[in-house]
Amino acid sequence: MNTLIKRIIIGVTGLAALAGGVVYAVYPDGVDIEQVKRQDIVANINVLGTIEADEIITVYAPVAGRLDKVSFKVNDRVKDGDVLASYDLTSLEEEYKKASLNTEYHEDGYNAAVTENDKNKAKAASASRSSEILKQQYIAVEENRDDLSIAQNSKSNYIQSTMSGIEGALDNMKTDMEVESAKLESASGAYNELYAKLLEAKANISGQNSQIESLNSQIKANAAAYEAIKDDPEKASEAEELLSANQELSEGLAEVMSENTKSAAEYNSLREALHSAEDKKDSAASSVNSIKDNIASSRDALASLPVDNMTTEQYALFLELSRQLDIIEKEWTRANEQKTAAEEKIVNDYQIKQLEDSMELAQIDADKALGNLTKGKEGVKSSTSGTIIEKMANEGAVVDAGTALFTIQPDSGYKASVMISKYDIGRVKLGQKASVSVSGVSYEGTVSSIAPIATNDSTGKPRVKVEISFDEKDAHPTIGLEAEVLINSGESKEAITVPEKAVYTDDEGSYVYMLENGRAEKRSIVTGLKGSGCYQVVDGLNDGEKVITSPVTEDDIGTRFVEN
């Protein structure tokens, strides 16, 4: 009995399955069908964004000093040109006073040196003229002495011979004196010139050392400032500027240190040359003094000549010549000493130029101090209208020039910023119209910026930043709020369209499924605009054709379907 029941059940089940297959073969699945039609299409891109404005502006200290008063706080609104903080002017006024006095000191020193130089040049010129006159007088006395020698020759060969010898010696000494005096003058000039160059090289080294010390101080200060803010993401730009500034300062430091090395080598070379010039000057001075001694010896020899055989007139002339030689020697010596003394006091062009440079540098410092004082009087001014979002200094703070004091969110450049996917960015163009909805208020806008480089979002997908500027210039929605953005990416009149759900896309492009002769077939199409739940079909379909809107796969191609 049980076996019979089981057989009956199996038979019934088989018949049911067979009946189902027959039914399926006779009645295929149904699918939704829609007709391709012409209609107007407006393509929009819907995306969420954020309200932004012009980039935050940092207000820096225009000059170093102590802040006497800070007039604004966080969230205060400011206008362009408002004085955000004022300085205690005491130190700035003192610096300007010191710089002014230093300028006067260097000006007085320069003017005094130029005046004294002119006086010494005049004294040297006068002594040189006197020396030339004495030289001519010496020659005239020599001629008279020669006449006496000729007259005396007939009376005393001894006197004639001796006086001729003295005459020759005096002639030689005169020539030697001229030569050695010229050598002394040349050696003194070379010595003074080298000494001036040595002073200039020393001043250059001192100035370069000061520059090196100043650059090192700036580099250390920037490094300390960088260490203080390097981990603060909001101050990344400021940290980058500090690194860039230190790079430039380091390059400048290397250049100054190289120049310093060259100056030190030049200084050592000049010092050796100066020692050599000093030796030459001393040698020339020794030669001049030796000639002076020889002149004195010749005078003594002349005085020792026997005069017993001279007439009264000859003897009187002899005494006069001796007296004149003595006077000329003293005056000539005095004139040369005056000339040498005046020339040694003359400051050469290098030294004058150094004094002039010092005066100009002092004036530059004074101008800088005056500029700092003027900036201090003007105070720390806002460079834009907006809202203070950060205050980094309080009253009484001592700040360096360039210290960040305030950050201001400008009241300009209001816009909506959105991140567009790779699928939609190709449809976004500059100048396209858009609507922006913020807290229930709608604003009309225009696409004003499309970033040239994509950035990854929080999920790692690339997005392109697009900015929509508000058409209404007075539109000031709250910065940072979320905004609903609708970008009008195009429109077409009487376009051939198909429902969005009927279109599929793969690596080869877009396609739809058609119901042709009761079977599903795949057809490639070229799409255009997308909007209002439809795609514009540029190529591949004709008006009136029917497409399947139910879900269909590649496996369904050739399968029989019926229209629901």
Side-chain angles (χ1 to χ4, degrees):
M1 182 65 182
N2 290 335
T3 302
L4 179 61
I5 294 172
K6 289 181 179 178
R7 288 177 178 176
I8 293 172
I9 293 172
I10 292 172
V12 172
T13 302
L15 289 173
L18 179 62
V22 172
V23 171
Y24 176 77
V26 178
Y27 298 102
D29 289 340
V31 292
D32 294 331
I33 300 293
E34 287 196 31
Q35 190 174 22
V36 177
K37 60 182 177 181
R38 290 184 177 274
Q39 63 179 352
D40 296 343
I41 184 171
V42 176
N44 294 315
I45 299 174
N46 296 306
V47 64
L48 293 178
T50 305
I51 299 300
E52 297 179 354
D54 282 340
E55 290 187 3
I56 292 171
I57 291 176
T58 301
V59 180
Y60 299 93
V63 66
R66 191 178 74 85
L67 297 180
D68 183 54
K69 181 180 180 182
V70 177
S71 304
F72 292 87
K73 61 184 183 296
V74 174
N75 292 327
D76 282 352
R77 294 182 63 81
V78 296
K79 295 180 180 178
D80 187 6
D82 279 352
V83 178
L84 306 179
S86 57
Y87 283 92
D88 179 353
L89 301 178
T90 304
S91 60
L92 295 173
E93 289 172 342
E94 288 179 354
E95 288 298 323
Y96 175 59
K97 184 177 180 180
K98 289 178 183 178
S100 297
L101 291 174
N102 190 45
T103 300
E104 292 177 4
Y105 170 78
H106 282 89
E107 285 180 351
D108 292 343
Y110 171 76
N111 293 331
V114 171
T115 301
E116 186 66 20
N117 226 32
D118 291 341
K119 289 180 180 178
N120 289 324
K121 287 181 179 179
K123 287 180 180 179
S126 176
S128 180
R129 288 192 297 270
S130 297
S131 179
E132 183 62 30
I133 292 172
L134 290 170
K135 174 183 175 183
Q136 298 301 323
Q137 290 177 353
Y138 185 85
I139 293 173
V141 171
E142 276 191 318
E143 291 175 351
N144 290 333
R145 188 200 60 204
D146 291 343
D147 292 340
L148 177 62
S149 298
I150 293 171
Q152 188 65 16
N153 184 54
S154 60
K155 296 182 178 181
S156 176
N157 289 333
Y158 169 75
I159 295 174
Q160 177 63 36
S161 176
T162 302
M163 292 185 68
S164 295
I166 295 173
E167 177 185 359
L170 287 171
D171 283 339
N172 290 335
M173 284 185 282
K174 178 189 72 174
T175 302
D176 291 344
M177 178 63 82
E178 291 177 351
V179 172
E180 293 304 322
S181 294
K183 288 182 179 179
L184 178 59
E185 181 176 357
S186 175
S188 296
Y191 175 82
N192 290 336
E193 183 175 351
L194 284 171
Y195 183 71
K197 289 183 178 179
L198 188 69
L199 290 178
E200 183 181 14
K202 187 175 181 180
N204 285 341
I205 291 173
S206 177
Q208 289 162 355
N209 288 336
S210 297
Q211 271 188 284
I212 290 172
E213 183 178 352
S214 176
L215 288 171
N216 276 324
S217 296
Q218 292 180 53
I219 289 172
K220 289 180 180 179
N222 286 349
Y226 172 77
E227 287 296 326
I229 66 173
K230 66 178 183 179
D231 297 325
D232 188 347
E234 296 182 356
K235 297 186 178 180
S237 176
E238 185 179 347
E240 186 66 26
E241 290 176 1
L242 287 170
L243 287 177
S244 177
N246 258 16
Q247 178 65 29
E248 294 180 5
L249 289 172
S250 296
E251 293 173 358
L253 177 61
E255 183 177 347
V256 174
M257 291 182 71
S258 175
E259 292 297 325
N260 187 254
T261 301
K262 293 178 182 178
S263 297
E266 181 184 4
Y267 177 81
N268 292 330
S269 176
L270 287 171
R271 186 170 57 183
E272 292 177 3
L274 183 66
H275 290 325
S276 177
E278 186 176 15
D279 292 339
K280 290 181 180 179
K281 186 183 75 167
D282 293 343
S283 176
S286 176
S287 297
V288 170
N289 291 331
S290 177
I291 293 173
K292 289 180 180 178
D293 293 340
N294 290 336
I295 291 176
S297 297
S298 296
R299 183 192 62 193
D300 294 340
L302 185 61
S304 66
L305 285 175
V307 295
D308 295 339
N309 295 328
M310 290 185 182
T311 64
T312 303
E313 291 80 4
Q314 289 173 336
Y315 182 66
L317 180 57
F318 170 76
L319 292 177
E320 178 62 22
L321 288 174
S322 298
R323 186 183 67 81
Q324 289 184 14
L325 282 174
D326 186 57
I327 293 173
I328 290 172
E329 180 188 3
K330 291 180 180 179
E331 291 298 321
W332 194 3
T333 299
R334 189 172 65 86
N336 283 333
E337 289 175 349
Q338 289 177 345
K339 179 183 177 184
T340 300
E343 287 177 341
E344 288 179 349
K345 293 180 180 179
I346 293 175
V347 180
N348 60 37
D349 292 341
Y350 291 103
Q351 291 171 298
I352 291 294
K353 183 64 169 62
Q354 186 177 2
L355 291 172
E356 184 179 6
D357 290 344
S358 296
M359 179 181 66
E360 290 179 355
L361 288 173
Q363 184 60 56
I364 290 173
D365 289 341
D367 291 342
K368 181 179 178 180
L370 177 58
N372 287 341
L373 178 58
T374 301
K375 291 177 182 177
K377 289 180 178 179
E378 292 176 351
V380 181
K381 290 186 175 181
S382 172
S383 57
T384 186
S385 295
T387 302
I388 293 178
I389 60 175
E390 188 177 7
K391 177 171 70 76
M392 289 86 89
N394 297 314
E395 293 180 1
V398 177
V399 298
D400 291 327
T403 300
L405 301 180
F406 299 90
T407 54
I408 300 175
Q409 173 61 64
D411 275 343
S412 58
Y414 277 79
K415 58 202 170 189
S417 174
V418 296
M419 303 302 291
I420 304 297
S421 71
K422 64 181 180 180
Y423 303 106
D424 292 327
I425 191 60
R427 297 190 289 131
V428 179
K429 301 291 186 293
L430 291 175
Q432 289 176 338
K433 290 300 180 181
S435 63
V436 180
S437 179
V438 183
S439 299
V441 180
S442 294
Y443 303 91
E444 295 301 318
T446 303
V447 175
S448 58
S449 174
I450 302 174
I453 301 174
T455 57
N456 291 338
D457 62 13
S458 58
T459 64
K461 295 180 180 179
R463 305 276 180 176
V464 178
K465 184 176 182 180
V466 174
E467 294 178 353
I468 295 90
S469 297
F470 295 113
D471 294 341
E472 185 182 350
K473 299 304 178 184
D474 293 333
H476 290 166
T478 302
I479 297 170
L481 288 181
E482 184 179 76
E484 296 179 8
V485 179
L486 185 68
I487 300 175
N488 184 346
S489 60
E491 60 181 54
S492 177
K493 300 290 186 182
E494 289 297 309
I496 294 177
T497 64
V498 293
E500 184 178 335
K501 59 185 178 180
V503 179
Y504 300 84
T505 303
D506 59 17
D507 293 339
E508 296 181 358
S510 299
Y511 57 93
V512 296
Y513 290 102
M514 313 283 293
L515 189 61
E516 296 183 356
N517 299 322
R519 297 182 182 274
E521 299 294 338
K522 178 180 177 182
R523 183 183 298 185
S524 296
I525 62 173
V526 178
T527 60
L529 299 178
K530 174 185 176 183
S532 304
C534 297
Y535 271 105
Q536 176 189 15
V537 178
V538 178
D539 187 35
L541 290 175
N542 295 314
D543 187 12
E545 290 186 298
K546 295 181 179 181
V547 296
I548 300 173
T549 59
S550 297
V552 182
T553 67
E554 293 275 350
D555 294 336
D556 294 322
I557 296 176
T559 301
R560 291 178 57 82
F561 291 101
V562 294
E563 183 176 348
N564 287 334

